[in-house]
Amino acid sequence: MFAITDAHFVGPDVKRFEVTAPQIARHYQPGQFVIVRVDKGGERIPLTVAGADPDQGSITLFVQGIGKTTCTLNNLETGDSIADVAGPLGKPSDIRTYGTAVVVGGGVGTAIAYPVVRALTEAGNRVVAIVGGRTSEHVLLKDELAGTGADVVICTDDGSQGRPGFVTDALAEIIDSNWVDIIFAAGPVPMMRAVADVTRPKAIETIASLNPIMVDGTGMCGGCRVDVGGKTMFACVDGPEFDAHLVDFDLLARRNQSYADIEAADLAAFSSDCSLDKR
Amino acid sequence: MSAPLTKRERMKLERVAMRERNADERARSFDEVNLGFTAEMAKLEAMRCLECKQPKCIDGCPVGIEIDKFLRLVADGQIGAAAEVIQRDNLLPAICGRVCPQEKQCEGACVLAKKERPIAIGHLERYVADYVRNEGFEYVAETPAPTGKRVAVVGSGPAGLACAGDLIQSGHEVTVYEALHEPGGVLVYGIPQFRLPKEIVSAEIAGLETLGVRFEMNAIVGRTYTLDELLASNDAIFIAVGAGLPRFLEIPGENLIGVYSANEFLTRVNLMKAYLADNDTPVLDIKGKRVVVFGGGNTAMDGARTAQRLGAKKVRVLYRRTEEEMPARREEVRHAREEGVQFDFLVSPTELFGNDGVLTGVALQAMELGEPDESGRRRPQPIAGSVKAIDADLAVVAIGNGPNPLLLATVPDLGRTRWGTIAVDEETGRTSMPGIFAGGDIVTGGATVILAMGAGRTAAASIEDWLTSGEWDTTASASVE
Ligand SMILES: Cc1cc2nc3c(=O)[nH]c(=O)nc-3n(C[C@H](O)[C@H](O)[C@H](O)COP(=O)(O)OP(=O)(O)OC[C@H]3O[C@@H](n4cnc5c(N)ncnc54)[C@H](O)[C@@H]3O)c2cc1C
Ligand SMILES: Cc1cc2nc3c(=O)[nH]c(=O)nc-3n(C[C@H](O)[C@H](O)[C@H](O)COP(=O)(O)OP(=O)(O)OC[C@H]3O[C@@H](n4cnc5c(N)ncnc54)[C@H](O)[C@@H]3O)c2cc1C
Ligand code: SF4
Ligand code: SF4
Ligand code: FES
């Protein structure tokens, strides 16, 4: 069992967890994730590690409640525990001194992008973090991002904070008027696809953190396979970060819907007070 | 007691048939298919043994169980004593009795195999193991004096379990590190409930825990622990991570929804128990659907029979050679057929096609057998111009597994073979790195439970040598190519 030492909501349906997992904290590198099974009978789901404290032996997770498993998890409180946490999995992000880097995060993707922002600034890059959400409330980790020293650009659909409009509009403007060496994107599939479309004409290296459905997370099942440049890759061991210009996003979007009917029925049968914020 | 039968009389007796659940009933149920022998059946079957002076059956068993001895004890009704004989060579008899390919091993070598009625050694081994487990027979191992030595076992499949079992009985401290949340390897995630009930696997594992073996789940060596970390805190390491990397067909359409590797399909159903209502992991709904399975091994049979049980309308196994060459256990092929699985031989898929990203069918190329290849099996080759398409809503790819690269990628210095498996000295299980041993599927490629177990025991014996002598004789370790 893995103890939850702190749990609190940081957005309408996003909860932040501190979980005791000393071995994972010791080996974690930005870009990696864990596989979590909330309880006996539960499914195994991937969650990005947003940070780790090797001294405290703890890791930080941000969870957006979108289905039965994430909602069950978000019902847990400080003092509860999680049955299984395995990791750190996946290849770490390729953190180097690129020069200028733009990191784009949408929704819970901001949590995935946050450790990358921190690592890139620590590596001496000039970093712009573009983060979006539907309303001001839906923009995660504003203070944390600002604390890294990155320039933070906030975009909201309703204009309640920062620029009104999509993260990709802000991105297009930035790359039009600035030299950018690399772009990292994490968030919903349509957002990552749109980022790739914006940067492709300028041939700026763009990395997307993919989020296919996973089971084991160790390369054993092949359920997480994605198509990158016509080659089949296992996102859990070959990724989760890939060259966004080569990713078949249609395939990823479709495969993520494989169990949509079953999952919807599961969630309906599972009564919870977890708000379901479909974007 | 009546007078013992003469050899001639015994040779006339028929092989006692296993009781099985009726095919119609079991084709829709995950309950175990084989129902076991009764005491009378076991006695009758064991009595048929001719007690050969040089029992050929033993040569056929990879771990050399003293089969003639245990059969004699079963015939005499001394089941506890029979169990002790088996336990000397095999720590997982309830499992091996169920899943060994007996027709190629012990039973294939039995002198009575010529008359097509070899002693049902597997069924009897299972009987003995089940009997002692159900009767709560305590297997009292003497508590060994602690040696103060520590060994880490990586992977909890049959190789890891067998190695841990031997080492703990020599007084070493043993911890098994397992990547998944449950121990057992293929025994829990691959082989289905209806063939090997999971309660049996957990009972055997509980037995090891009673002896003092520690199990640490969710421990992915190479990630959660580095091999160096384990080396620093242990006196030896046994790597038994299996052949867990699924091979795909590498044809168009392979990533359509509805195309599963056998590993994924079976893991969803077995390990994650997707067939039970109160478990969350989903599996695609195949009630009333058409399922195709590619391959001819045990994995393919398990995939096909699992699909049948999930309510498929029609399940077809598509194999590129003929029935003769199928590597699956004979019993599984027969069971699958009785349950309604259809077999198509000499066909190979060339394309999977779909509608809106969802699988709808497969194109099949007709094959014929040509000259034998290196493995001695006749090589299938396409018959020009002969391609047909069939409908399919779900495809299960069961064409084999490669070595899982996750751990190996973190230890570039560990010697491998040209197949990417770990290179070891066969006699000792020693790798190219002092203190590190390996065995099971990660060394041989996908093989069998009993071979993996045997490798675990070989390694345990040579770990014992290393722990007492402290000498790493380079001639008895893997030579790196
Ligand atoms: C490498 C990786 C890192 C991730 N990191 C995080 C994270 O830090 N925080 C977080 O909240 N989520 C993260 N996710 C997504 C998270 O794993 C899914 O939201 C979760 O598995 C959904 O489970 P559920 O039972 O709650 O929802 P389900 O009921 O399974 O799904 C609800 C809906 O979402 C779709 N869906 C299912 N799985 C995924 C998926 N993997 N990605 C997108 N949509 C999916 C389903 O088709 C369905 O329509 C990550 C995914 C990956 C692969
Ligand atoms: C579906 C199926 C059916 C089969 N049917 C039969 C049969 O009827 N009869 C028969 O004799 N054989 C059968 N086999 C083959 C047999 O199961 C294998 O040969 C045997 O299990 C190999 O044992 P092993 O201990 O080497 O590895 P495995 O059983 O594969 O166990 C390896 C374990 O190591 C774990 N692991 C992997 N990487 C790491 C890591 N980095 N850190 C920690 N742990 C790790 C894995 O999660 C796994 O639990 C079948 C195989 C399959 C797939
Ligand atoms: S372990 Fe397997 S091969 Fe050996 S006697 Fe038992 S069933 Fe036969
Ligand atoms: S070879 Fe057959 S008949 Fe002979 S001892 Fe073995 S089981 Fe008995
Ligand atoms: S999740 Fe199973 S191989 Fe990636």
PDB file of all heavy atoms in Angstrom, chain B residues 292-308:
ATOM      1  N   VAL B 292     -10.764 -14.128 -34.844  1.00  0.00           N
ATOM      2  CA  VAL B 292      -9.706 -14.934 -35.451  1.00  0.00           C
ATOM      3  C   VAL B 292      -8.479 -14.871 -34.542  1.00  0.00           C
ATOM      4  O   VAL B 292      -8.211 -13.860 -33.910  1.00  0.00           O
ATOM      5  CB  VAL B 292      -9.327 -14.448 -36.871  1.00  0.00           C
ATOM      6  CG1 VAL B 292     -10.474 -14.655 -37.840  1.00  0.00           C
ATOM      7  CG2 VAL B 292      -8.899 -12.977 -36.850  1.00  0.00           C
ATOM      8  N   VAL B 293      -7.768 -16.007 -34.479  1.00  0.00           N
ATOM      9  CA  VAL B 293      -6.575 -16.085 -33.650  1.00  0.00           C
ATOM     10  C   VAL B 293      -5.433 -16.551 -34.539  1.00  0.00           C
ATOM     11  O   VAL B 293      -5.562 -17.565 -35.233  1.00  0.00           O
ATOM     12  CB  VAL B 293      -6.781 -17.091 -32.493  1.00  0.00           C
ATOM     13  CG1 VAL B 293      -5.524 -17.175 -31.634  1.00  0.00           C
ATOM     14  CG2 VAL B 293      -7.989 -16.696 -31.646  1.00  0.00           C
ATOM     15  N   PHE B 294      -4.332 -15.830 -34.557  1.00  0.00           N
ATOM     16  CA  PHE B 294      -3.182 -16.212 -35.370  1.00  0.00           C
ATOM     17  C   PHE B 294      -2.164 -16.930 -34.508  1.00  0.00           C
ATOM     18  O   PHE B 294      -1.723 -16.391 -33.492  1.00  0.00           O
ATOM     19  CB  PHE B 294      -2.531 -14.971 -35.991  1.00  0.00           C
ATOM     20  CG  PHE B 294      -3.474 -14.163 -36.837  1.00  0.00           C
ATOM     21  CD1 PHE B 294      -3.855 -12.887 -36.457  1.00  0.00           C
ATOM     22  CD2 PHE B 294      -4.000 -14.694 -38.010  1.00  0.00           C
ATOM     23  CE1 PHE B 294      -4.736 -12.140 -37.238  1.00  0.00           C
ATOM     24  CE2 PHE B 294      -4.877 -13.964 -38.797  1.00  0.00           C
ATOM     25  CZ  PHE B 294      -5.260 -12.686 -38.408  1.00  0.00           C
ATOM     26  N   GLY B 295      -1.770 -18.128 -34.928  1.00  0.00           N
ATOM     27  CA  GLY B 295      -0.760 -18.880 -34.192  1.00  0.00           C
ATOM     28  C   GLY B 295      -1.204 -20.309 -33.980  1.00  0.00           C
ATOM     29  O   GLY B 295      -2.349 -20.666 -34.287  1.00  0.00           O
ATOM     30  N   GLY B 296      -0.310 -21.132 -33.427  1.00  0.00           N
ATOM     31  CA  GLY B 296      -0.642 -22.539 -33.234  1.00  0.00           C
ATOM     32  C   GLY B 296      -0.107 -23.097 -31.926  1.00  0.00           C
ATOM     33  O   GLY B 296      -0.067 -24.307 -31.722  1.00  0.00           O
ATOM     34  N   GLY B 297       0.283 -22.211 -31.032  1.00  0.00           N
ATOM     35  CA  GLY B 297       0.835 -22.674 -29.760  1.00  0.00           C
ATOM     36  C   GLY B 297      -0.198 -22.631 -28.643  1.00  0.00           C
ATOM     37  O   GLY B 297      -1.378 -22.348 -28.875  1.00  0.00           O
ATOM     38  N   ASN B 298       0.273 -22.857 -27.427  1.00  0.00           N
ATOM     39  CA  ASN B 298      -0.638 -22.811 -26.277  1.00  0.00           C
ATOM     40  C   ASN B 298      -1.288 -21.444 -26.136  1.00  0.00           C
ATOM     41  O   ASN B 298      -2.449 -21.334 -25.743  1.00  0.00           O
ATOM     42  CB  ASN B 298       0.138 -23.112 -24.996  1.00  0.00           C
ATOM     43  CG  ASN B 298       0.501 -24.574 -24.905  1.00  0.00           C
ATOM     44  OD1 ASN B 298      -0.299 -25.443 -25.253  1.00  0.00           O
ATOM     45  ND2 ASN B 298       1.715 -24.864 -24.475  1.00  0.00           N
ATOM     46  N   THR B 299      -0.520 -20.411 -26.462  1.00  0.00           N
ATOM     47  CA  THR B 299      -1.048 -19.062 -26.340  1.00  0.00           C
ATOM     48  C   THR B 299      -2.236 -18.871 -27.276  1.00  0.00           C
ATOM     49  O   THR B 299      -3.242 -18.260 -26.912  1.00  0.00           O
ATOM     50  CB  THR B 299       0.063 -18.047 -26.650  1.00  0.00           C
ATOM     51  OG1 THR B 299       1.216 -18.425 -25.906  1.00  0.00           O
ATOM     52  CG2 THR B 299      -0.334 -16.653 -26.275  1.00  0.00           C
ATOM     53  N   ALA B 300      -2.115 -19.403 -28.490  1.00  0.00           N
ATOM     54  CA  ALA B 300      -3.209 -19.286 -29.452  1.00  0.00           C
ATOM     55  C   ALA B 300      -4.443 -20.050 -28.947  1.00  0.00           C
ATOM     56  O   ALA B 300      -5.577 -19.558 -29.026  1.00  0.00           O
ATOM     57  CB  ALA B 300      -2.772 -19.821 -30.813  1.00  0.00           C
ATOM     58  N   MET B 301      -4.207 -21.259 -28.403  1.00  0.00           N
ATOM     59  CA  MET B 301      -5.342 -22.037 -27.890  1.00  0.00           C
ATOM     60  C   MET B 301      -6.008 -21.281 -26.729  1.00  0.00           C
ATOM     61  O   MET B 301      -7.238 -21.228 -26.633  1.00  0.00           O
ATOM     62  CB  MET B 301      -4.879 -23.413 -27.362  1.00  0.00           C
ATOM     63  CG  MET B 301      -4.252 -24.330 -28.385  1.00  0.00           C
ATOM     64  SD  MET B 301      -5.263 -24.568 -29.853  1.00  0.00           S
ATOM     65  CE  MET B 301      -4.245 -23.761 -31.053  1.00  0.00           C
ATOM     66  N   ASP B 302      -5.196 -20.691 -25.865  1.00  0.00           N
ATOM     67  CA  ASP B 302      -5.759 -19.954 -24.736  1.00  0.00           C
ATOM     68  C   ASP B 302      -6.554 -18.747 -25.219  1.00  0.00           C
ATOM     69  O   ASP B 302      -7.632 -18.451 -24.690  1.00  0.00           O
ATOM     70  CB  ASP B 302      -4.639 -19.492 -23.785  1.00  0.00           C
ATOM     71  CG  ASP B 302      -4.064 -20.652 -22.984  1.00  0.00           C
ATOM     72  OD1 ASP B 302      -4.728 -21.710 -22.935  1.00  0.00           O
ATOM     73  OD2 ASP B 302      -2.973 -20.512 -22.423  1.00  0.00           O
ATOM     74  N   GLY B 303      -6.032 -18.064 -26.237  1.00  0.00           N
ATOM     75  CA  GLY B 303      -6.741 -16.917 -26.787  1.00  0.00           C
ATOM     76  C   GLY B 303      -8.078 -17.339 -27.373  1.00  0.00           C
ATOM     77  O   GLY B 303      -9.123 -16.720 -27.117  1.00  0.00           O
ATOM     78  N   ALA B 304      -8.068 -18.415 -28.150  1.00  0.00           N
ATOM     79  CA  ALA B 304      -9.280 -18.882 -28.819  1.00  0.00           C
ATOM     80  C   ALA B 304     -10.336 -19.329 -27.808  1.00  0.00           C
ATOM     81  O   ALA B 304     -11.510 -18.963 -27.891  1.00  0.00           O
ATOM     82  CB  ALA B 304      -8.938 -20.044 -29.761  1.00  0.00           C
ATOM     83  N   ARG B 305      -9.891 -20.086 -26.825  1.00  0.00           N
ATOM     84  CA  ARG B 305     -10.860 -20.620 -25.862  1.00  0.00           C
ATOM     85  C   ARG B 305     -11.369 -19.530 -24.930  1.00  0.00           C
ATOM     86  O   ARG B 305     -12.513 -19.585 -24.459  1.00  0.00           O
ATOM     87  CB  ARG B 305     -10.210 -21.770 -25.078  1.00  0.00           C
ATOM     88  CG  ARG B 305      -9.821 -22.928 -26.017  1.00  0.00           C
ATOM     89  CD  ARG B 305      -9.002 -23.965 -25.307  1.00  0.00           C
ATOM     90  NE  ARG B 305      -9.813 -24.733 -24.371  1.00  0.00           N
ATOM     91  CZ  ARG B 305      -9.302 -25.435 -23.361  1.00  0.00           C
ATOM     92  NH1 ARG B 305      -7.992 -25.414 -23.132  1.00  0.00           N
ATOM     93  NH2 ARG B 305     -10.096 -26.126 -22.556  1.00  0.00           N
ATOM     94  N   THR B 306     -10.540 -18.533 -24.682  1.00  0.00           N
ATOM     95  CA  THR B 306     -10.995 -17.391 -23.873  1.00  0.00           C
ATOM     96  C   THR B 306     -12.064 -16.615 -24.642  1.00  0.00           C
ATOM     97  O   THR B 306     -13.104 -16.238 -24.081  1.00  0.00           O
ATOM     98  CB  THR B 306      -9.796 -16.494 -23.505  1.00  0.00           C
ATOM     99  OG1 THR B 306      -8.893 -17.259 -22.710  1.00  0.00           O
ATOM    100  CG2 THR B 306     -10.232 -15.256 -22.731  1.00  0.00           C
ATOM    101  N   ALA B 307     -11.815 -16.396 -25.938  1.00  0.00           N
ATOM    102  CA  ALA B 307     -12.791 -15.676 -26.769  1.00  0.00           C
ATOM    103  C   ALA B 307     -14.116 -16.431 -26.794  1.00  0.00           C
ATOM    104  O   ALA B 307     -15.192 -15.837 -26.669  1.00  0.00           O
ATOM    105  CB  ALA B 307     -12.242 -15.503 -28.178  1.00  0.00           C
ATOM    106  N   GLN B 308     -14.029 -17.739 -26.924  1.00  0.00           N
ATOM    107  CA  GLN B 308     -15.227 -18.584 -26.917  1.00  0.00           C
ATOM    108  C   GLN B 308     -16.021 -18.331 -25.624  1.00  0.00           C
ATOM    109  O   GLN B 308     -17.232 -18.135 -25.639  1.00  0.00           O
ATOM    110  CB  GLN B 308     -14.760 -20.047 -26.988  1.00  0.00           C
ATOM    111  CG  GLN B 308     -15.826 -21.056 -27.190  1.00  0.00           C
ATOM    112  CD  GLN B 308     -16.281 -21.063 -28.645  1.00  0.00           C
ATOM    113  OE1 GLN B 308     -17.003 -20.176 -29.059  1.00  0.00           O
ATOM    114  NE2 GLN B 308     -15.851 -22.041 -29.413  1.00  0.00           N
TER     115      GLN B 308
END
